Amino acid sequence: MLDRPGTSGEPSVRTEDLCKTYGRGETAVHAVQRISVAIERGEFVALCGPSGSGKTTLVNLVGGLTDPTEGRVWVDGKEVGGMSERQRARLRLNHIGFVFQAYNLLPVLTALENAEFPMMLRGVERETRREQVLELFEEIGLEGLHDRRPGALSGGQQQRVAVARAVLGAPALVLADEPTANLDTVASDALLDVMELLNRERGVTFIFCTHDPRVMRRARRIIRLVDGHVERDAEKETGDLPSWVVEPVNS
Amino acid sequence: MMERPKVLVRIAARNVRRQARRSLLTASAMVLGIALLMLVRALEAGGHMAFVESAVRLGTGHIAIEHPEYAASRDLVHRIPEEHLRLAEDEVAAAAGRGEVRAVFPRITVGGLAQSPSSAIPVQIAGVEPAREAPVSFLAESIVKGRFLEPGDRLEAVVGGGLAERLRVELGSRLVLMAEGAHGELESQLVFVTGIFQTGIPEVDRGTVQLPLETAREWLGVGGDATSLNVILTSERWTGPVARAVGERLESSLGAGEVSVKPWWEALPDLHAGLQADAVQTYVMFLILLAIVALAVVNSVLMAVLYRTREFGVVRSLGLNRRSVGGMVMVEGTLLSLVSGIAGMLLGLVLARGVFRNGIDISRILSEEDLAFGGAVMDPVVLPVVQSGDVVAILAIVMAIGILASLYPAWQATRIEPAEAMKVEH
């Protein structure tokens, strides 16, 4: 069993010489190349960089959704590569929340059922689940929409349900891949407020893949990837937007 | 039910409904297949029961009690003595529960010659007891001219239509029967044709003569003995239990090897083998139908899996393990099979007990000769008979097929890698 968040004293996420290569020979694509980073508990980190720089692949490697070609990943001090498929599933279920760019809600479930799905898999009582979902839905402007299927929700509403699904039950780590890509300013700010609150009050670690300056402004650490390498990794004050995050590659 | 299985079943059920058109097409194929399977099975059961019914009512009975050697020798030496006959009748009455036995009658059956002024033909001659046999006799039902034997008859006889033609005899004609008697000498008996029957079974119509049992006993010198005691039951399904019970009782009272108690499938091995061969043909058809059902399930569930690759990637990334993902797919296939199975059975029942309750006339497809085999004949109007065992077996087989056919799609679903799956555009 993995330790509960904040009890092991290890970084939330650590990678060592992490590599991921797709294909072989001349057509091989080196999506991630020898990345070694450590992200402490409670950090609010933005991974930025141009498309194809390896952000999503890095997040997938951290979440155990794909295997590294080389190198190692630890989440909460436990090496993901050494886990069985079942242990990885348990890690994702109990410690990691995912937010995907394309919402990825289950179309046959209602908004409420989608949001409570991971909690239900964890065995949280029905009443507790429903109470938490409805409370969060109210905070993020989804009140009254809990019975709707994803097809009857706007893109922004679907993404808010997806975020609710990721953060409910307070996982130790949330991996969010372009969570605001399809949202307007108001919806983005509402979501980021919720995530900041969880980060501040419950110590949940957030790692965003993003191109969105609004996300990067709120981040307290930005890691810029280029061609699968870490080009720059710096802490910053909330509200700042360093010029290098939007600089063209190799400038 | 725990929460996780409950939600997985809910997702599976909603996914079946979500692809309504595909599910409906698959279900329709399954429903039709299963309904057809039930109807064919019911017709087969009805046809077989008709064959058995006619065969046992020709005289063998559902159970035939004979001397152990008689079936092979057909010799009067191997007959049942009168005292054993009485004991056997008592044991049948005792072993059979109330209402299981419809008729019990002794017979003398010998091979012999029937001679008319114009011809002599080898025949099977049976001495029967009209009072006991007439109510259940298939020959009595098949009389086309004259009448069947009646109590008090002495020199009357009934003959098959084919035999009457070959012997050129009519009602009232004289006939001399010749056979080897109990003492090994050729004995003759004069009889008068009082009835002509037409069963549709060539070997019966062309070679059978029946006369009163008492006349036959006197003629052949067997006293009160008989070659067999035949039992007709109210339902064919009692045959095994009653035969076993009578056999055990007779063995304990007479000792082993004195008489043999044969259920109809032992007494009529040709008919039994024929019905079994027919059943094999039906099973082959069943296999083909069931293979179609299996393919329909595989196709539908596999398509559903491929269509939802991305969703499987999502649930995996949310923490559902491979086993649960496979289980979700299995539930889908099983649900589809269960619903289609029940609907198919209902349609099958409607067909068998509703639309075709008066039977299907097969006389246009089969000639009269095709309706007879193994010494039995089938009515050209086949009545479907739905047996509860068949209903349960078909549903169980369909469910098993649904589960087995979902294994491959479920295995495919477990192999989906979440990161790759979420790149799939649907």
Side-chain angles (χ1 to χ4, degrees):
Chain A
M1 279 290 289
L2 284 158
D3 296 324
R4 290 300 304 161
T7 58
S8 70
E10 295 279 343
S12 178
V13 173
R14 188 157 71 89
T15 72
E16 188 181 277
D17 290 332
L18 198 60
C19 296
K20 179 69 183 180
T21 302
Y22 293 104
R24 284 182 182 180
E26 288 179 6
T27 56
V29 176
H30 304 287
V32 167
Q33 301 188 59
R34 305 219 166 276
I35 290 182
S36 299
V37 290
I39 295 167
E40 299 301 329
R41 292 167 196 286
E43 282 204 80
F44 205 75
V45 181
L47 296 175
C48 68
S51 296
S53 58
K55 303 185 292 294
T56 300
T57 304
L58 181 57
V59 161
N60 286 343
L61 287 165
V62 170
L65 298 181
T66 189
D67 287 317
T69 315
E70 279 180 55
R72 299 156 86 183
V73 185
W74 291 264
V75 171
D76 253 344
K78 302 287 177 189
E79 194 189 344
V80 178
M83 291 179 182
S84 67
E85 191 278 327
R86 188 175 276 261
Q87 286 172 319
R88 277 193 212 192
R90 208 180 298 146
L91 170 78
R92 289 195 290 267
L93 179 62
N94 295 319
H95 292 256
I96 304 176
F98 284 93
V99 184
F100 309 100
Q101 185 179 348
Y103 325 136
N104 285 332
L105 299 178
L106 298 176
V108 293
L109 299 182
T110 63
L112 183 143
E113 289 168 337
N114 264 291
E116 70 174 3
F117 187 73
M119 282 200 290
M120 183 274 311
L121 294 182
R122 280 182 219 136
V124 178
E125 288 288 321
R126 187 173 185 270
E127 291 310 313
T128 313
R129 289 192 325 248
R130 303 251 148 154
E131 197 180 309
Q132 288 188 22
V133 171
L134 294 176
E135 194 182 323
L136 183 59
F137 271 18
E138 205 177 316
E139 278 181 45
I140 58 176
L142 290 173
E143 65 271 31
L145 302 177
H146 60 276
D147 276 340
R148 291 200 189 169
R149 296 265 178 102
L153 297 172
S154 70
Q157 289 166 337
Q158 288 187 55
Q159 189 62 311
R160 274 177 274 170
V161 175
V163 169
R165 179 176 67 187
V167 301
L168 277 164
L173 171 67
V174 172
L175 301 170
D177 190 359
E178 306 275 9
T180 57
N182 300 302
L183 301 183
D184 60 27
T185 312
V186 177
S188 293
D189 284 342
L191 275 185
L192 289 168
D193 286 347
V194 170
M195 294 199 257
E196 259 190 332
L197 188 75
L198 281 166
N199 172 251
R200 204 170 45 241
E201 294 194 348
R202 299 192 193 173
V204 177
T205 309
F206 280 85
I207 302 175
F208 297 90
C209 297
T210 189
H211 290 107
D212 187 347
R214 287 168 300 189
V215 179
M216 287 189 268
R217 271 198 193 93
R218 297 208 190 204
R220 291 191 295 279
R221 179 179 171 189
I222 296 181
I223 299 170
R224 180 173 155 89
L225 300 182
V226 175
D227 293 338
H229 295 284
V230 174
E231 191 198 57
R232 195 141 181 187
D233 180 353
E235 293 192 357
K236 65 177 238 336
E237 290 301 317
T238 307
D240 289 352
L241 184 64
S243 57
W244 54 266
V245 299
V246 287
E247 279 170 7
V249 178
N250 299 328
S251 65
Chain B
M1 191 191 274
M2 284 173 66
E3 278 291 291
R4 185 188 285 229
K6 210 157 89 179
V7 86
L8 296 182
V9 169
R10 193 190 309 155
I11 292 175
R14 288 186 193 173
N15 273 315
V16 171
R17 279 204 315 242
R18 172 188 177 192
Q19 298 298 324
R21 196 183 302 174
R22 187 193 300 145
S23 297
L24 205 66
L25 276 173
T26 309
S28 304
M30 290 177 72
V31 167
L32 279 176
I34 295 160
L36 196 60
L37 206 131
M38 272 200 65
L39 182 64
V40 168
R41 176 67 197 120
L43 286 170
E44 188 202 30
H48 284 192
M49 281 172 79
F51 270 120
V52 173
E53 180 74 5
S54 74
V56 300
R57 285 174 54 221
L58 273 170
T60 314
H62 289 103
I63 300 166
I65 302 169
E66 302 170 346
H67 186 282
E69 311 270 322
Y70 176 71
S73 71
R74 291 280 162 189
D75 195 320
L76 281 178
V77 173
H78 299 124
R79 60 184 189 271
I80 311 175
E82 189 176 0
E83 60 272 24
H84 287 185
L85 207 57
R86 274 205 211 99
L87 189 67
E89 278 201 56
D90 293 345
E91 298 297 11
V92 168
R98 246 182 207 291
E100 284 172 9
V101 175
R102 194 167 153 201
V104 185
F105 46 85
R107 274 188 162 202
I108 293 276
T109 308
V110 288
L113 271 180
Q115 192 174 19
S116 70
S118 61
S119 180
I121 293 171
V123 288
Q124 274 289 316
I125 304 164
V128 303
E129 226 179 273
R132 291 213 250 176
E133 201 163 327
V136 293
S137 168
F138 186 58
L139 290 195
E141 246 173 47
S142 310
I143 293 288
V144 289
K145 275 186 195 168
R147 64 168 176 81
F148 190 64
L149 301 172
E150 288 175 357
D153 283 350
R154 272 230 9 103
L155 297 179
E156 287 77 2
V158 291
V159 299
L163 181 65
E165 208 173 291
R166 288 162 75 201
L167 290 171
R168 295 187 193 154
V169 292
E170 285 292 333
L171 290 180
S173 299
R174 289 154 56 112
L175 210 54
V176 177
L177 304 177
M178 284 180 281
E180 192 181 313
H183 308 294
E185 287 166 11
L186 196 63
E187 306 285 353
S188 303
Q189 175 68 49
L190 173 72
V191 291
F192 295 90
V193 177
T194 189
I196 295 173
F197 55 82
Q198 199 74 49
T199 62
I201 308 165
E203 60 265 38
V204 173
D205 293 338
R206 291 161 70 91
T208 306
V209 179
Q210 288 196 350
L211 72 163
L213 179 65
E214 286 313 313
T215 310
R217 277 174 166 162
E218 275 175 37
W219 161 40
L220 298 167
V222 295
D225 303 349
T227 52
S228 64
L229 183 72
N230 308 86
V231 184
I232 292 195
L233 303 169
T234 48
S235 167
E236 192 272 334
R237 69 177 185 276
W238 303 122
T239 308
V242 174
R244 260 193 309 280
V246 171
E248 281 164 14
R249 292 180 76 102
L250 280 173
E251 195 175 320
S252 69
S253 51
L254 291 176
E258 285 299 314
V259 292
S260 77
V261 179
K262 292 179 175 174
W264 68 262
W265 50 86
E266 284 178 26
L268 299 163
D270 290 349
L271 175 66
H272 187 231
L275 294 181
Q276 280 196 317
D278 187 52
V280 168
Q281 285 178 19
T282 313
Y283 290 144
V284 170
M285 201 178 99
F286 282 7
L287 280 179
I288 294 168
L289 276 172
L290 291 171
I292 292 169
V293 168
L295 282 174
V297 177
V298 171
N299 176 57
S300 181
V301 181
L302 188 59
M303 285 298 288
V305 167
L306 296 175
Y307 183 77
R308 301 206 315 271
T309 299
R310 192 186 180 96
E311 284 170 42
F312 287 119
V314 172
V315 292
R316 290 284 315 282
S317 70
L318 293 177
L320 208 61
N321 56 39
R322 288 181 198 273
R323 212 169 98 178
S324 296
V325 168
M328 203 157 76
V329 175
M330 294 290 294
V331 170
E332 253 174 71
T334 309
L335 271 179
L336 194 63
S337 307
L338 181 67
V339 172
S340 308
I342 291 172
M345 309 258 321
L346 291 176
L347 180 62
L349 283 177
V350 167
L351 290 177
R353 291 200 166 157
V355 181
F356 297 111
R357 68 179 178 282
N358 294 325
I360 295 175
D361 188 348
I362 55 170
S363 59
R364 287 186 186 172
I365 347 171
L366 296 176
S367 70
E368 204 170 277
E369 284 193 1
D370 291 331
L371 293 172
F373 86 91
V377 68
M378 188 172 72
D379 194 290
V381 178
V382 185
L383 289 170
V385 175
V386 179
Q387 293 170 313
S388 53
D390 289 342
V391 174
V392 174
I394 290 172
L395 189 61
I397 290 169
V398 168
M399 288 303 301
I401 281 177
I403 291 167
L404 287 174
S406 305
L407 279 175
Y408 176 66
W411 178 69
Q412 284 287 343
T414 62
R415 292 179 64 210
I416 289 172
E417 291 301 330
E420 295 303 312
M422 282 188 291
K423 290 180 192 163
V424 175
E425 293 293 336
H426 275 306

